[in-house]
């Protein structure tokens, strides 16, 4: 079964064709990052305009590559209808409805966060699939989606059942990375830059002299408002403030010293130390809450997805948390960590007959996963 997946929830216009929920036959992602970077974040109006311009060419190219394979016809169209930016979601949803009508196939609406939880289960066609885990057999699982818009831990007792057990009470981890990068003068988006700089710094000096920034522990009262235990939630606002205060106090030290190449970026050793310290705080915050969440149940796997899951230190610490807990970690391949259409198409295959008929759907920017908003 070939499913065309369309994803336009934020700043990527993406389309892909996936066979039987696993084999990616074609995948095209147009990223709008250069359009948003002058503004230091995603501007919804710019995003929706760019989606309108790019949706045709992106879907067209994904279809062209699929057709070139001679791998049959499209059986279904799947599209993200939430959560995300409302005007951005609408572009994908309308395109999907039109396409499905033209192709004479059903159109189903998918949840973006569920899509990320599917991203570790796909691979490009032609590769070896023998070691690719199966999403159904991976349950009971704990999922973590950690991206620019979400940081959420999801309990999946069985395939297709979701319950949010922890989340960020303010910024998503990706946002926390991006805001820090801005403060450090590294530009937007900053996650990957901080990652590369930190990796180079740790290779040179280790982690012994890192600054002990706060590890994202929220206050009880605040997490209670969200109906979730503090031990399973993160709050990155304190970490951000701690960085700001540190820069106000020690700013001179950061600009002192010769700039050197750290992971491809010219920064002073002190800037690299601060970046590595900040990253360590986020990675340890995620590790600590994941450890606590894993201790709640008997999980077979830990499923990790989202743009921040590409972070080398986050992968490293979460891998050791899972090794300690005796739980298999399944992570998305680098190219599927960010927003893409393939994860949406794959999800639709496994959610067959359970997806929402999207011909009647509207965009739902606050769409819940597992009944939790
Ligand atoms: O999943 P994603 O593409 O979509 C959105 O939520 O929009 O995630 C993008 C986020 C950005 O905040 C970016 O800075 C962050 O993921 N990111 C990283 C890394 N690569 C991307 N954060 C930390 N380390 C990375 N290597």
């Amino acid at each position: 079964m070939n499913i065309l997946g369309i994803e336009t929830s934020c700043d990527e216009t993406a389309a892909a064709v996936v066979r039987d929920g696993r084999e990616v036959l074609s995948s095209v992602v147009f990223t709008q990052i250069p359009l948003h970077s002058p503004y230091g974040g995603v501007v919804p109006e710019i995003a929706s305009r760019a989606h309108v311009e790019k949706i045709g060419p992106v879907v067209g190219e994904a279809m062209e590559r699929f057709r070139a394979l001679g791998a049959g016809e499209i059986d279904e169209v799947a599209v993200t209808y939430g959560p995300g930016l409302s005007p951005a979601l609408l572009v994908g949803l309308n395109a999907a409805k039109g396409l499905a009508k033209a192709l004479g196939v059903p159109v189903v609406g998918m949840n973006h966060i569920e899509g990320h939880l599917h991203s570790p289960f796909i691979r490009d066609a032609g590769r070896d699939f023998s070691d690719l885990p199966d999403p159904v057999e991976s349950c009971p699982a704990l999922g973590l989606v950690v991206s620019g818009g979400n940081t959420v831990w999801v309990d999946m007792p069985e395939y297709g059942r979701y319950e949010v057990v922890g989340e960020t009470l303010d910024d998503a981890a990706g946002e926390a990375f991006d805001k820090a990068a801005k403060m450090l003068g590294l530009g937007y988006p900053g996650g990957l830059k901080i990652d590369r700089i930190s990796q180079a710094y740790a290779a040179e000096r280790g982690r012994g002299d890192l600054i002990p920034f706060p590890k994202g522990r929220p206050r009880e009262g605040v997490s209670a408002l969200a109906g979730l235990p503090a031990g399973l939630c993160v709050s990155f606002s304190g970490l951000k403030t701690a960085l700001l205060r540190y820069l106000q106090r020690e700013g001179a030290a950061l600009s002192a010293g010769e700039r050197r190449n750290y992971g491809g970026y010219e920064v002073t050793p002190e800037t690299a130390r601060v970046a590595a310290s900040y990253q360590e705080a986020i990675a340890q915050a995620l590790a600590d809450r994941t450890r606590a969440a894993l201790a709640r149940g008997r999980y077979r796997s830990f499923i990790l997805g989202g743009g921040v899951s590409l972070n080398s230190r986050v992968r490293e610490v979460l891998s050791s948390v899972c090794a300690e807990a005796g739980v298999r970690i399944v992570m998305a391949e680098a190219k599927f960590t960010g927003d893409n259409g393939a994860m949406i198409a794959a999800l639709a295959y496994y959610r067959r007959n359970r997806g929402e008929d999207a011909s009647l759907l509207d965009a739902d920017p606050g769409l819940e996963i597992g009944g939790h908003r």
Side-chain angles (χ1 to χ4, degrees), residues 10-12 42 112 116 146-150 173-178 188-196 279 305-312 314 337-339:
C10 189
D11 58 344
E12 264 90 30
V42 177
H112 176 75
H116 274 302
V146 65
S147 70
N150 300 285
E175 252 175 305
F177 270 112
D178 293 339
Y188 171 86
L192 189 60
K193 293 173 191 165
I194 291 185
D195 187 2
R196 296 220 170 119
Q279 172 177 284
V308 178
S309 76
L310 191 56
N311 184 277
S312 55
V314 166
T337 53
D339 293 349

Side-chain angles (χ1 to χ4, degrees), residues 213-252:
F213 284 130
K215 307 280 186 294
R217 274 226 170 267
R219 279 176 295 143
E220 277 305 327
V222 185
S223 75
L225 283 179
L228 295 166
L232 299 181
C233 291
V234 282
S235 157
F236 290 122
S237 59
L239 170 63
K240 228 168 41 191
T241 311
L243 174 65
L244 183 67
R245 296 265 149 76
Y246 189 86
L247 295 179
Q248 284 165 344
R249 226 174 38 241
E250 311 285 342

